[in-house]
Amino acid sequence: MRRKFFDVLGVAAMTGLVATGAYGAAKKTVKVQLQNSQGHAAGNVTFSSAKNGVKMNIKLENMAFGEHGVHLHQNATCDAPDFKGAGGHFNPTGKKHGFENPDGHHAGDLPKNVSVGEDHRGEATFVLTDVTLEPGAPNSLFANGGTSVVVHEKADDMKTDPAGNAGNRIACGVVKE
């Protein structure tokens, strides 16, 4: 059976330092490479432990100009061309989609879209308070074998369930221990 290119790439791209947490050793920093459906570089995401959650820095490259929704998805799978294997948004608490949704938001939702300029690059930093890097925690990015970062073709409207009308999945990267 052919190895999944993006799984191997995602694991090889991660780096980290070890720290101790309530659930055991937790990586302090994880770097994930994003790839588009043709296997070309689409940027990277760095996750690091923060006082009140996880700091996420995302750098997009080779993307179309405009706003792009980015989400954390429930499966550590990035099979091209559509990245559907990544599953739905990471949602261990069973909430609805979007920060503007009165019923709450998925743990995998981000508070803002990522803006890509005319140079086809974009960057944003968030502190995600609903997730952790501590292995064993139900809201860990490493839960159930890991998660993934998915970039969508359009902006997230921050309220429509289940995915904010953000359109097709155009880039993906695997988050694993």
Side-chain angles (χ1 to χ4, degrees), residues 30-111:
V30 175
K31 189 167 186 178
V32 175
Q33 298 295 325
L34 300 172
Q35 302 288 318
N36 67 20
S37 62
Q38 291 81 39
H40 299 131
N44 65 70
V45 180
T46 302
F47 295 99
S48 56
S49 298
K51 183 176 181 179
N52 296 320
V54 175
K55 181 179 177 182
M56 177 183 185
N57 177 262
I58 182 166
K59 295 179 181 178
L60 299 178
E61 62 184 53
N62 303 318
M63 291 280 163
F65 172 79
E67 300 287 314
H68 294 273
V70 179
H71 304 111
L72 303 174
H73 284 247
Q74 66 189 10
N75 301 325
T77 303
C78 286
D79 293 333
D82 59 12
F83 306 117
K84 297 274 187 198
H89 292 180
F90 183 56
N91 189 19
T93 56
K95 303 243 175 136
K96 300 290 183 184
H97 172 77
F99 276 80
E100 294 179 19
N101 191 316
D103 295 324
H105 62 272
H106 301 147
D109 291 343
L110 301 186

